[in-house]
Amino acid sequence: MAKPQEKVSFGQRLKQIGMVFQFTAKQDRWFAPLVAAAVLIPLALTVVAVILWSWIWLPIGILFVLLAVLIVLNLRSNKAMMNAAEGQPGAAAQIMENMRGDWRVTPAVSSTTQMDMIHLVIGRPGVILLAEGNPQRVRSLLGQEKRRLSKVIGSAPLHDYVIGQDEGELPIRKLRTTLLRLPRALSGKDVNSLDKRLKALTARPQMPKGAIPKNMRPPGAFRQSRGR
């Protein structure tokens, strides 16, 4: 099932926008000048329109100012976030978890001690494997995961990408657009069914909490030596 959307109050929304403003301003030196231009240019045109025609242009001009600022914020904040995510372990999974739409993300289904990892994503395009880390090591991990998943995904499409800047790799800033352009091969029902099968495959058995019952202990386990 798709993740339920939590309701956000107006005050919380303003706080989030303020945090995005601060983050983008620190990451992007062009952000402040572009915001200033987005405010001053429509405002100047509004003043001219008010002088030449009517005061009715004032609220319209204010709306244009807000719209221009939001457009600049959206474009530059996305770029700033992509720049900050470049080379960060787990960034691809975090981006996918924040994408709109029905994307089922399982971070680090396979990993190494050198911070190489494979993320599993299930969506309308099918099954997607995202690899982060050393290209040689993650390609080996990708091969293992593809062989393991091929046993249960049936005819569902399987896509795999290595995140990076070298030839044949997918830059993280192009991750969203690349996945959104993939053809939709599965229905919502197919995604649910596939998600259940893959969760069963990737589930790791956990040891029960508490003391192990005597009848379940292996022979000779927990045997205490006694002094003569």
Side-chain angles (χ1 to χ4, degrees):
M1 298 294 290
K3 293 180 288 187
Q5 297 292 329
E6 297 182 359
K7 292 184 178 180
V8 180
S9 66
F10 181 72
Q12 290 175 323
R13 182 70 66 185
L14 289 179
K15 185 177 180 180
Q16 291 174 354
I17 293 175
M19 292 173 64
V20 174
F21 258 93
Q22 293 179 359
F23 171 79
T24 309
K26 290 180 180 179
Q27 297 289 330
D28 185 0
R29 63 189 180 90
W30 289 104
F31 177 64
L34 288 172
V35 169
V39 172
L40 295 176
I41 294 175
L43 195 58
L45 294 175
T46 301
V47 171
V48 172
V50 168
I51 294 174
L52 295 179
W53 291 290
S54 171
W55 284 97
I56 196 173
W57 285 97
L58 182 59
I60 297 175
I62 293 175
L63 290 178
F64 270 109
V65 169
L66 294 176
L67 179 60
V69 171
L70 289 177
I71 291 174
V72 171
L73 176 63
N74 182 56
L75 294 176
R76 304 305 293 191
S77 63
N78 285 335
K79 183 177 180 180
M81 284 188 285
M82 292 300 104
N83 290 337
E86 199 86 47
Q88 296 295 323
Q94 186 175 7
I95 290 172
M96 291 303 305
E97 288 175 335
N98 291 323
M99 277 183 61
R100 292 182 179 180
D102 189 7
W103 302 95
R104 321 292 176 88
V105 184
T106 306
V109 292
S110 181
S111 61
T112 69
T113 55
Q114 291 86 5
M115 299 302 290
D116 308 307
M117 57 190 72
I118 307 293
H119 311 299
L120 172 64
V121 180
I122 308 169
R124 297 291 296 276
V127 180
I128 304 165
L129 293 175
L130 303 176
E132 291 185 289
N134 180 276
Q136 294 181 348
R137 291 195 297 261
V138 296
R139 290 188 193 281
S140 176
L141 289 178
L142 273 177
Q144 296 174 15
E145 283 302 310
K146 290 168 72 173
R147 289 191 294 270
R148 190 168 71 103
L149 296 178
S150 62
K151 301 175 183 179
V152 294
I153 65 174
S155 59
L158 177 59
H159 310 272
D160 61 276
Y161 301 95
V162 176
I163 305 299
Q165 295 292 332
D166 295 334
E167 185 178 356
E169 299 176 354
L170 177 64
I172 197 167
R173 66 187 62 197
K174 295 183 178 180
L175 176 60
R176 289 180 177 176
T177 55
T178 299
L179 298 193
L180 289 174
R181 289 173 182 171
L182 291 174
R184 290 339 189 214
L186 303 179
S187 65
K189 184 178 180 181
D190 293 334
V191 172
N192 289 332
S193 175
L194 190 58
D195 188 23
K196 291 179 181 179
R197 296 204 303 270
L198 292 182
K199 280 182 177 177
L201 177 67
T202 57
R204 295 182 175 90
Q206 296 181 351
M207 290 293 293
K209 296 181 179 180
I212 301 176
K214 291 182 179 180
N215 60 348
M216 293 181 62
R217 295 178 183 175
F222 306 103
R223 189 174 292 166
Q224 296 180 350
S225 59
R226 297 180 179 177
R228 293 180 180 179

